[in-house]
Amino acid sequence: MSLSLNQWTTRRWSVAEAVDGCVRHGLAAVGLWREKVAEQGLAETVRLVREAGLRVSSLCRGGFLTAGGLPGEEDRHAFARALDDNRRAIDEAAELAAACLVMVVGGLPGVRAGAPLPASGLSREPAAGGSAPCPPGFSRDLAGARERVAEALGVLAPYAGERGVRLALEPLHPVYCPDRAVLSTLGQALDLCQAYPPEQVGVVVDTFHVWWDPRLSDDLARARGRIAAYQVCDYLHPLPADVLLGRGMMGDGVIDFGPITRAVAGAGYTGDVEVEIFNADVWAADPNDVVATMKARYAALVPAG
Amino acid sequence: MSLSLNQWTTRRWSVAEAVDGCVRHGLAAVGLWREKVAEQGLAETVRLVREAGLRVSSLCRGGFLTAGGLPGEEDRHAFARALDDNRRAIDEAAELAAACLVMVVGGLPGVRAGAPLPASGLSREPAAGGSAPCPPGFSRDLAGARERVAEALGVLAPYAGERGVRLALEPLHPVYCPDRAVLSTLGQALDLCQAYPPEQVGVVVDTFHVWWDPRLSDDLARARGRIAAYQVCDYLHPLPADVLLGRGMMGDGVIDFGPITRAVAGAGYTGDVEVEIFNADVWAADPNDVVATMKARYAALVPAG
């Protein structure tokens, strides 16, 4: 395994700056984000990473496939639009020869990330007789949302397979279940993979998302051949008010990287190890300092694979 | 199943006020907290609930059994003190004829609830050669903490059994894994139960903590005979800055109470259903209004068992 910079860790850097930073700091791989690639231009990004001799350890991200749980024409169109956008993401991953396309599958339909829920129509005193509350502007049908992800995968996995792209299903910490990912555990992600060849669909193991899981050791053992990406960062305590920014530099939180990394290696993973940190302090720091700290902490705290 | 008021929902009320409130609002059961019982006096509490004809659906709470993961004499004493305190909690539950003693098992040793982590001793630039960081004032050994819980249960379960008290292991949402409970899923709680008779050790199913779990349906099916308490409240989105207070009145969050409640009933549970809400707005409201809203929302949104 070797260290890769996920470019969201140095969010202020463009693709060109991140590629340059990786070369200067002696890293052999970079994880890219679609927004940044679009800003740089896809063809120019391909040229930059090739000329730098970097591997693209992942492209972030596809997903958000749970639309369709609400009544009305608009929501059905949203599901179709999501599939189209994912096909474009797969095409981009193919152009970039990315090791995988990271899939964040989406939360409950109609629940927006970090935003208040749409009004539920519930008064404090429901009408006499316990009549049903007004339909809310979002769906509480978690099982339905999970079925929609499986349905979308049935469309996207063959499309990815034809283009030599590996989809990487990322289970997110359950705290993100309402708004970002109804895929909540590694076991659930592995179950979803089973219908597809390993080179078409794999999983992302991200320490922040999975460190708490009592089944982690067992599920990593059965993940052999399915780990498409391994991401490390720490889990801060307490979480900041915006829980999305609770990811920290290794050593600043509660995660012991030894057992998880050894289990990932034990499952046969030999790919790159991305550090992906969403954190206001990290984003405010000089990106060169961030990369230097990342390298030092990685060397000190993450066992060699 | 019938509705029970967990007294922390009406936190301003003393035991006497909560008992009176239950009677006035036609509830047949109350969930009590040790702090409140101590303020009222144990004997007086026993007299109040008996004279009111109320069932005690649970006593909250025992647990916090993960001390002992840190070097030093003090930490070993902390584990012994925790066992002593739990024996007292069991004695109180026996006096109150509580249906169970709720066990919140505790987080990583040395990690305080809601408080910053003790300094890790890591500098931004570890000493050359990747020397090990200074030992932090807390433990990252999650597996060890979980073993400590199992060890403590081996001491406490027989003690509870001799006194006719049922311990109820409560899996908490993984967001509380660092500081409150290394017991994170219903499946993990059920596995811990297996060594003991069902009347000695069971589980708490709390919708807030388990709603996201992709294995919930399967684990509720295998929970037959092990469900000692069922608690309902909603999961707010987004969570407030203090995630402990993210519990909301049914209908104010993202949980669909239908499937979970039917599965709990399907597992044979016929006990009381407690509403336990930690929420600054609910605590600020008139407790009588809170109980009225709770009854109306329960009738509208939680299926009859």
Side-chain angles (χ1 to χ4, degrees), chain A residues 12-60:
Chain A
R12 284 193 274 162
W13 274 351
S14 66
V15 164
E17 289 169 325
V19 166
D20 177 62
C22 286
V23 171
R24 284 187 292 105
H25 288 275
L27 301 176
V30 65
L32 298 174
W33 277 66
R34 291 184 71 202
E35 296 87 323
K36 297 282 190 183
V37 171
E39 282 167 23
Q40 191 76 53
L42 179 60
E44 174 69 3
T45 301
V46 169
R47 189 185 68 77
L48 285 167
V49 295
R50 281 205 191 140
E51 289 186 359
L54 291 179
R55 295 185 295 274
V56 178
S57 48
S58 75
L59 178 64
C60 299

Side-chain angles (χ1 to χ4, degrees), chain B residues 14-50:
Chain B
S14 67
V15 164
E17 290 168 325
V19 166
D20 177 62
C22 287
V23 171
R24 284 186 293 104
H25 289 275
L27 301 175
V30 66
L32 298 174
W33 278 66
R34 292 182 70 201
E35 295 88 323
K36 297 282 190 184
V37 171
E39 283 166 24
Q40 192 76 52
L42 179 59
E44 174 69 1
T45 300
V46 169
R47 189 186 67 76
L48 285 167
V49 295
R50 280 202 191 141

Side-chain angles (χ1 to χ4, degrees), chain B residues 25-108:
Chain B
H25 289 275
L27 301 175
V30 66
L32 298 174
W33 278 66
R34 292 182 70 201
E35 295 88 323
K36 297 282 190 184
V37 171
E39 283 166 24
Q40 192 76 52
L42 179 59
E44 174 69 1
T45 300
V46 169
R47 189 186 67 76
L48 285 167
V49 295
R50 280 202 191 141
E51 290 187 358
L54 292 180
R55 295 185 295 274
V56 177
S57 47
S58 75
L59 178 64
C60 301
R61 56 196 184 183
F64 293 94
L65 294 162
T66 52
L70 298 174
E73 189 73 10
E74 196 190 330
D75 196 55
R76 284 198 296 279
H77 286 167
F79 186 61
R81 280 199 305 274
L83 288 176
D84 280 346
D85 185 56
N86 275 275
R87 290 187 190 95
R88 285 192 294 275
I90 291 166
D91 295 343
E92 292 162 23
E95 284 290 313
L96 292 162
C100 61
L101 174 66
V102 172
M103 303 289 281
V104 172
V105 302
L108 294 171

Side-chain angles (χ1 to χ4, degrees), chain A residues 1-205:
Chain A
M1 299 193 199
S2 80
L3 179 59
S4 171
L5 172 68
N6 182 291
Q7 77 169 131
W8 218 250
T9 302
T10 52
R11 186 176 175 179
R12 284 193 274 162
W13 274 351
S14 66
V15 164
E17 289 169 325
V19 166
D20 177 62
C22 286
V23 171
R24 284 187 292 105
H25 288 275
L27 301 176
V30 65
L32 298 174
W33 277 66
R34 291 184 71 202
E35 296 87 323
K36 297 282 190 183
V37 171
E39 282 167 23
Q40 191 76 53
L42 179 60
E44 174 69 3
T45 301
V46 169
R47 189 185 68 77
L48 285 167
V49 295
R50 281 205 191 140
E51 289 186 359
L54 291 179
R55 295 185 295 274
V56 178
S57 48
S58 75
L59 178 64
C60 299
R61 55 195 185 182
F64 294 95
L65 294 161
T66 53
L70 298 175
E73 189 73 9
E74 198 190 329
D75 197 55
R76 284 198 297 280
H77 286 167
F79 186 61
R81 278 199 305 275
L83 288 177
D84 280 346
D85 185 58
N86 276 274
R87 290 188 191 96
R88 284 192 295 276
I90 290 166
D91 295 343
E92 292 162 22
E95 284 290 313
L96 291 163
C100 62
L101 174 65
V102 172
M103 303 289 281
V104 172
V105 303
L108 293 171
V111 176
R112 285 179 304 142
L117 293 175
S120 72
L122 268 179
S123 67
R124 287 177 67 88
E125 298 289 347
S131 64
C134 304
F138 68 101
S139 168
R140 292 187 177 90
D141 181 9
L142 178 57
R146 287 171 167 164
E147 282 165 22
R148 195 134 321 105
V149 172
E151 182 190 336
L153 202 58
V155 176
L156 295 173
Y159 185 92
E162 287 164 15
R163 283 148 190 86
V165 169
R166 190 180 202 188
L167 302 180
L169 301 175
E170 182 163 17
L172 260 55
H173 191 288
V175 79
Y176 303 119
C177 189
D179 58 344
R180 295 181 188 275
V182 294
L183 190 56
S184 304
T185 65
L186 178 59
Q188 185 190 2
L190 290 171
D191 289 347
L192 258 180
C193 287
Q194 292 312 309
Y196 307 97
E199 66 277 12
Q200 243 175 54
V201 186
V203 298
V204 183
V205 177

Side-chain angles (χ1 to χ4, degrees), chain A residues 108 111-117 120 122-126 130-131 133 138 140 142 146 173-175 177-179 184-185 188 211-215 234-235 237-239 241 243 250-256 285 289-290 292-293 296-297 300-301, chain B residues 108 111-117 120 122-126 130-131 133 138 140 142 146 173-175 177-179 184-185 188 211-215 234-235 237-239 241 243 250-256 285 289-290 292-293 296-297 300-301:
Chain A
L108 293 171
V111 176
R112 285 179 304 142
L117 293 175
S120 72
L122 268 179
S123 67
R124 287 177 67 88
E125 298 289 347
S131 64
F138 68 101
R140 292 187 177 90
L142 178 57
R146 287 171 167 164
H173 191 288
V175 79
C177 189
D179 58 344
S184 304
T185 65
Q188 185 190 2
W211 72 277
W212 58 270
D213 188 347
R215 298 179 59 91
D234 219 326
Y235 183 97
H237 176 81
L239 290 176
V243 294
M250 296 79 76
D252 288 346
V254 298
I255 297 178
D256 182 356
D289 290 346
V290 169
T293 301
R297 294 287 183 88
L301 297 173
Chain B
L108 294 171
V111 176
R112 285 178 304 141
L117 294 175
S120 70
L122 268 180
S123 67
R124 286 177 69 86
E125 300 287 345
S131 65
F138 68 101
R140 292 188 177 90
L142 179 56
R146 286 171 168 164
H173 191 288
V175 79
C177 189
D179 57 344
S184 304
T185 65
Q188 185 190 3
W211 72 278
W212 59 272
D213 188 347
R215 297 179 60 90
D234 219 325
Y235 183 97
H237 175 80
L239 290 175
V243 294
M250 296 78 77
D252 288 345
V254 299
I255 297 178
D256 182 356
D289 291 346
V290 169
T293 301
R297 295 285 184 90
L301 297 172

